[in-house]
Tab-separated table of all heavy atoms in Angstrom:
chain	number	residue	atom	x	y	z
A	268	SER	N	1.754	19.730	-6.947
A	268	SER	CA	1.691	18.621	-7.914
A	268	SER	C	0.955	17.451	-7.268
A	268	SER	O	1.579	16.472	-6.816
A	268	SER	CB	3.097	18.196	-8.340
A	268	SER	OG	3.800	19.269	-8.935
A	269	PRO	N	-0.359	17.512	-7.191
A	269	PRO	CA	-1.122	16.503	-6.443
A	269	PRO	C	-1.078	15.122	-7.093
A	269	PRO	O	-1.020	14.997	-8.319
A	269	PRO	CB	-2.544	17.066	-6.446
A	269	PRO	CG	-2.594	17.962	-7.639
A	269	PRO	CD	-1.227	18.551	-7.773
A	270	GLN	N	-1.094	14.109	-6.241
A	270	GLN	CA	-1.231	12.722	-6.662
A	270	GLN	C	-2.587	12.252	-6.127
A	270	GLN	O	-2.691	11.670	-5.053
A	270	GLN	CB	-0.082	11.873	-6.119
A	270	GLN	CG	1.281	12.309	-6.612
A	270	GLN	CD	2.425	11.519	-5.979
A	270	GLN	OE1	2.210	10.547	-5.263
A	270	GLN	NE2	3.649	11.935	-6.256
A	271	THR	N	-3.621	12.545	-6.899
A	271	THR	CA	-4.990	12.362	-6.421
A	271	THR	C	-5.353	10.891	-6.280
A	271	THR	O	-5.127	10.085	-7.184
A	271	THR	CB	-5.986	13.048	-7.374
A	271	THR	OG1	-5.629	14.427	-7.498
A	271	THR	CG2	-7.399	12.937	-6.847
A	272	GLU	N	-5.904	10.546	-5.116
A	272	GLU	CA	-6.412	9.206	-4.873
A	272	GLU	C	-7.723	9.328	-4.114
A	272	GLU	O	-7.948	10.288	-3.379
A	272	GLU	CB	-5.409	8.362	-4.072
A	272	GLU	CG	-5.030	8.941	-2.717
A	272	GLU	CD	-3.996	8.100	-1.994
A	272	GLU	OE1	-3.436	7.174	-2.608
A	272	GLU	OE2	-3.750	8.364	-0.800
A	273	VAL	N	-8.597	8.352	-4.315
A	273	VAL	CA	-9.893	8.325	-3.639
A	273	VAL	C	-9.953	7.088	-2.759
A	273	VAL	O	-9.781	5.964	-3.247
A	273	VAL	CB	-11.051	8.318	-4.664
A	273	VAL	CG1	-12.397	8.188	-3.938
A	273	VAL	CG2	-11.021	9.576	-5.523
A	274	LEU	N	-10.185	7.291	-1.469
A	274	LEU	CA	-10.370	6.196	-0.528
A	274	LEU	C	-11.871	5.935	-0.432
A	274	LEU	O	-12.649	6.871	-0.203
A	274	LEU	CB	-9.821	6.553	0.858
A	274	LEU	CG	-8.316	6.454	1.092
A	274	LEU	CD1	-7.522	7.307	0.115
A	274	LEU	CD2	-7.982	6.845	2.529
A	275	PHE	N	-12.265	4.680	-0.582
A	275	PHE	CA	-13.697	4.379	-0.660
A	275	PHE	C	-14.070	3.233	0.272
A	275	PHE	O	-13.380	2.216	0.347
A	275	PHE	CB	-14.080	4.017	-2.100
A	275	PHE	CG	-15.528	3.645	-2.261
A	275	PHE	CD1	-16.496	4.630	-2.427
A	275	PHE	CD2	-15.925	2.322	-2.217
A	275	PHE	CE1	-17.836	4.288	-2.554
A	275	PHE	CE2	-17.258	1.964	-2.347
A	275	PHE	CZ	-18.219	2.953	-2.519
A	276	ASN	N	-15.195	3.402	0.971
A	276	ASN	CA	-15.853	2.343	1.729
A	276	ASN	C	-17.265	2.193	1.207
A	276	ASN	O	-17.949	3.192	0.947
A	276	ASN	CB	-15.921	2.690	3.227
A	276	ASN	CG	-14.642	2.346	3.960
A	276	ASN	OD1	-13.726	1.755	3.399
A	276	ASN	ND2	-14.568	2.735	5.217
A	277	GLY	N	-17.722	0.962	1.063
A	277	GLY	CA	-19.081	0.734	0.587
A	277	GLY	C	-19.112	-0.499	-0.298
A	277	GLY	O	-18.388	-1.466	-0.064
A	278	THR	N	-19.922	-0.441	-1.340
A	278	THR	CA	-20.080	-1.572	-2.253
A	278	THR	C	-19.640	-1.168	-3.651
A	278	THR	O	-20.012	-0.095	-4.136
A	278	THR	CB	-21.548	-2.041	-2.304
A	278	THR	OG1	-21.960	-2.422	-0.979
A	278	THR	CG2	-21.704	-3.231	-3.222
A	279	VAL	N	-18.831	-2.012	-4.270
A	279	VAL	CA	-18.405	-1.765	-5.645
A	279	VAL	C	-18.775	-2.960	-6.514
A	279	VAL	O	-18.746	-4.109	-6.070
A	279	VAL	CB	-16.880	-1.501	-5.744
A	279	VAL	CG1	-16.504	-0.238	-4.992
A	279	VAL	CG2	-16.069	-2.687	-5.232
A	280	GLU	N	-19.159	-2.652	-7.746
A	280	GLU	CA	-19.446	-3.681	-8.743
A	280	GLU	C	-18.547	-3.454	-9.946
A	280	GLU	O	-18.451	-2.324	-10.445
A	280	GLU	CB	-20.894	-3.635	-9.176
A	280	GLU	CG	-21.250	-4.678	-10.241
A	280	GLU	CD	-22.675	-4.593	-10.716
A	280	GLU	OE1	-23.423	-3.715	-10.208
A	280	GLU	OE2	-23.070	-5.387	-11.589
A	281	VAL	N	-17.877	-4.501	-10.404
A	281	VAL	CA	-16.987	-4.384	-11.556
A	281	VAL	C	-17.809	-4.250	-12.822
A	281	VAL	O	-18.608	-5.131	-13.163
A	281	VAL	CB	-16.042	-5.593	-11.653
A	281	VAL	CG1	-15.113	-5.434	-12.854
A	281	VAL	CG2	-15.239	-5.764	-10.374
A	282	VAL	N	-17.608	-3.135	-13.529
A	282	VAL	CA	-18.346	-2.869	-14.760
A	282	VAL	C	-17.579	-3.380	-15.969
A	282	VAL	O	-18.139	-4.033	-16.861
A	282	VAL	CB	-18.608	-1.348	-14.916
A	282	VAL	CG1	-19.301	-1.057	-16.243
A	282	VAL	CG2	-19.453	-0.846	-13.755
A	283	ASP	N	-16.250	-3.112	-15.997
A	283	ASP	CA	-15.481	-3.493	-17.177
A	283	ASP	C	-14.006	-3.647	-16.811
A	283	ASP	O	-13.528	-3.076	-15.814
A	283	ASP	CB	-15.622	-2.427	-18.264
A	283	ASP	CG	-15.283	-2.959	-19.652
A	283	ASP	OD1	-15.045	-4.176	-19.783
A	283	ASP	OD2	-15.239	-2.165	-20.601
Side-chain angles (χ1 to χ4, degrees):
S268 301
Q270 298 176 7
T271 304
E272 59 182 10
V273 176
L274 281 57
F275 178 84
N276 277 354
T278 301
V279 296
E280 179 183 359
V281 181
V282 176
D283 200 6

